[in-house]
Amino acid sequence: MAELEKLSVDVAAQEMLKKAQAEGVETIFDRAEKMKPCPIGEEGACCRICSQGPCRVPKPKKAKEGEEQKKQATGVCGATAETIVARNFARMVAAGAAAHNDHSRGVALLFKEVAHGRAQGYQLKDVTKLKQVARDYGVALTVGEGEAAKARSKEEIAQELADKILAEFGQQEGELTFIKRAPKKRQEIWRDLGVVPRGCDIEIVELMHRTHMGVDQEYHNIIKQCTRCALSDGWGGSMISTDLQDILFGNPVPVAGEINLGVLKEDHVNIIIHGHEPLLPEMIAVAVQEPEIIQYAQNKGAKGIQLAGMCCSANEILMRHGIPVAGNYLHQELAIITGAVDAMVVDVQCEMQALANVAKCYHTKLITTDPRARIEGETMHIPFDDHHALDVARQVVREAIDNFPNRRSPVMIPSASHPTIVGFSYETIRYLLGGSIRGSYYTLNDNVIGGRVRGVAGVVGCNNCRSMHDNAHLTLIKELLKNDVIVLTTGCSAMTCGKFGLLTPEAAVQHCGPGLAEVCETVGIPPVLHMGSCVDNSRILMAATACVKAGGLGNDISDLPAAGAAPEWMSEKAISIGHYFVTSGVYTVFGVTFPTTGSDILTDYLFQGIEETYGGKWDFVEDPLEMAKKMIAHIDKKRAALGIDKARERVLFDMEMRRQLEAAAGAE
Ligand code: BF8
Ligand code: SF4
């Protein structure tokens, strides 16, 4: 095991790794050391889509002087490195978009059952948002004409809306409804290029078809379908998930929370909810508050029940209920190693199979709840059923309580945990910026134009065991704040921010440049705004669109002084997200490694060529400080193009002058 301090910057993680080591329990960090990534696969240069391969086409070494440069090999069918690498990239986009779009289908199916009153425990909570989405989908809010018009019930509206949304998954032609939410200019770009997604399913199927042996073998054309598919995620599946979840569970508003392994309690039954779909977690949150359940836990000798989240399910229940978070992706094994987790309840995505082994070393019950995601080994399966979700939730909680007396020693819970303020949905930011009457993004734009806020960055995405846990997120974000760049965050990145105190209003004075600090103090917000889970990256798209529509910062997302990053990405979802940000006009930088480096031609296209068409582009930078530098340079380039670079210089001069004045005053 490498030095623990080099594996994570999080002391709670370090403590648990030490415990694991002492107890002989293997974690992802040990396995990562034993298994080095295949260098050819890492750069996307291995094709195994037919049984004549696998064909490996790594870049040939640079020729020495006087030698002839060797050509890059092709696969045995003649597929070039460009085709092979593009196909691999495309399949990542397809799988990532599939994960989000299938998530949203599940939410839409539940939404339909709730609308018909067939889903135990759920309600239509946010009627304002329901009406908003209904308008988007052309669902009438009233029946009858003129004075005889009568308002339809929320159930009626929701029933029709559910059918329309569900039909869109299988739609064969036309356009996804939410495409209309994008800035006009962006919509025109997509239409001119023929990349507007038709439905949520068809784009994934077509992309998989086109990457089958002997189909699409022109890399621009493959990437074009990647775009259509990724847009069906960002402006389709992910946006549908976010909006329907808001309608069902409530649109997040600022709420206090707590994050890191220290939220677990030794004398309580600890239940960790891990995964992505908040459907069952919402009911578990209800079940743990029921007096009979609490009594049941007390009868077993526990003081109470502590519910905590992990990964994106954590973000969902944190944002809406302030339920504490035990940690991000690389914490999942570590939480069990505390010895205090009585049940870990998982649904879909980002759950390591190794959890089953780690759980076996302790007393933890690993409970799978989704028929699409079973885990081999001594796990328990309690399937989610939307007609009886509360009963299922109660059963899950009772399993955890029954397991409380089985704890083995030693239990050790790190003390680290940090308070957070979360829940900055796109609508909440609008409200906070302008108050309820004149709520809008004008205020943000004014501050950007005036130079107090230099620009906006979306920093999102995973942890990756190939890079020091949380380090890149933290270093990058701190550097952005120092340079007056406000940060919007989701996913595991948001949890990193929480753990290190960046999700509190006090962080503004501590970490921001003078301009951003002043704005945050005036509005009373943290300098890093937690916008939710990974499907909630759609909230960032909406916030960017709102900035465009508020005026003064150009006509399109690509005009904004903004940039995106996923410095510790690892999942295919991240690639789909990255690609919809790029093709929505955002400069997007990934860290750790980049899956197309096996073809210089394709990589150049993604890092440069694509900007001509979409105004956004990909980039790859390993070092987080360098990443910040490039993002800030991009923001400054956009400021110059908008003609607002001068304003910033003036503000900085003013601040400097103010400091000098203060110093002079102090000296007197
Ligand atoms: O959807 S950031 S590790 S938990 S994939 Fe997974 Fe990555 Fe975390 Fe959420 Ni998103
Ligand atoms: Fe090799 Fe071509 Fe088959 Fe890929 S499709 S494995 S490059 S023969």
Side-chain angles (χ1 to χ4, degrees), residues 188-221:
E188 280 163 21
I189 292 172
W190 291 334
R191 284 195 190 104
D192 286 350
L193 293 166
V195 295
V196 176
R198 295 155 286 183
C200 286
D201 293 343
I202 190 172
E203 307 309 347
I204 298 165
V205 173
E206 184 175 320
L207 189 53
M208 289 307 288
H209 173 198
R210 280 161 67 160
T211 59
H212 182 274
M213 196 274 155
V215 187
D216 204 349
Q217 290 159 104
E218 202 285 314
Y219 70 93
H220 297 94
N221 208 40

Side-chain angles (χ1 to χ4, degrees), residues 47-55 75-79 84 87 213:
C47 183
R48 43 161 293 275
I49 64 167
C50 90
S51 73
Q52 302 167 97
C55 301
V76 296
C77 67
I84 290 172
R87 277 199 297 228
M213 196 274 155

Side-chain angles (χ1 to χ4, degrees), residues 52-335:
Q52 302 167 97
C55 301
R56 285 160 298 167
V57 294
K59 281 187 288 193
K61 287 211 179 80
K62 274 227 166 80
K64 290 192 192 122
E65 251 188 50
E67 276 180 9
E68 204 186 324
Q69 177 63 48
K70 271 199 192 149
K71 277 203 183 140
Q72 192 159 4
T74 64
V76 296
C77 67
T80 60
E82 287 66 70
T83 297
I84 290 172
V85 176
R87 277 199 297 228
N88 286 329
F89 180 82
R91 285 184 168 213
M92 295 182 89
V93 172
H100 286 148
N101 292 0
D102 207 37
H103 169 154
S104 69
R105 187 199 324 278
V107 183
L109 287 168
L110 172 67
F111 177 66
K112 179 168 179 171
E113 293 310 290
V114 178
H116 285 275
R118 297 189 291 246
Q120 181 198 24
Y122 298 100
Q123 308 157 36
L124 297 166
K125 271 198 186 150
D126 188 340
V127 180
T128 312
K129 190 137 189 182
L130 169 69
K131 288 184 181 164
Q132 171 60 50
V133 179
R135 270 187 225 106
D136 287 334
Y137 274 85
V139 174
L141 303 180
T142 53
V143 277
E145 301 279 310
E147 282 185 9
K150 271 201 341 226
R152 294 175 88 190
S153 72
K154 62 179 179 182
E155 289 77 15
E156 266 179 303
I157 296 170
Q159 286 164 16
E160 190 183 331
L161 178 60
D163 288 338
K164 287 208 157 153
I165 289 176
L166 282 165
E168 221 174 51
F169 285 91
Q171 191 169 284
Q172 303 300 311
E173 51 192 24
E175 294 185 353
L176 282 182
T177 301
F178 283 155
I179 289 296
K180 290 199 297 262
R181 288 181 168 184
K184 283 246 147 45
K185 187 159 166 220
R186 184 59 26 187
Q187 295 182 40
E188 280 163 21
I189 292 172
W190 291 334
R191 284 195 190 104
D192 286 350
L193 293 166
V195 295
V196 176
R198 295 155 286 183
C200 286
D201 293 343
I202 190 172
E203 307 309 347
I204 298 165
V205 173
E206 184 175 320
L207 189 53
M208 289 307 288
H209 173 198
R210 280 161 67 160
T211 59
H212 182 274
M213 196 274 155
V215 187
D216 204 349
Q217 290 159 104
E218 202 285 314
Y219 70 93
H220 297 94
N221 208 40
I222 298 173
I223 298 299
K224 184 175 164 187
Q225 181 58 20
C226 287
T227 303
R228 219 174 186 188
C229 184
L231 291 175
S232 85
D233 172 350
W235 298 88
S238 281
M239 204 168 271
I240 292 170
S241 298
T242 297
D243 280 18
L244 293 186
Q245 286 168 187
D246 282 353
I247 294 171
L248 288 170
F249 312 132
N251 195 335
V253 290
V255 60
E258 188 84 19
I259 173 163
N260 212 339
L261 289 167
V263 304
L264 300 174
K265 293 185 180 151
E266 185 157 1
D267 52 9
H268 280 55
V269 173
N270 290 303
I271 305 175
I272 289 193
I273 291 171
H274 171 22
H276 285 77
E277 296 186 356
L279 314 187
L280 182 58
E282 280 285 330
M283 287 302 114
I284 295 180
V286 173
V288 294
Q289 290 176 39
E290 293 182 330
E292 316 80 74
I293 296 265
I294 296 172
Q295 187 57 52
Y296 188 63
Q298 286 166 348
N299 293 347
K300 299 271 176 179
K303 278 226 173 101
I305 306 167
Q306 177 68 358
L307 192 60
M310 182 148 282
C311 285
C312 283
S313 289
N315 285 326
E316 301 278 4
I317 52 176
L318 168 73
M319 295 261 286
R320 296 198 178 90
H321 307 289
I323 291 171
V325 175
N328 46 9
Y329 168 75
L330 282 176
H331 270 204
Q332 53 188 292
E333 291 168 306
L334 309 182

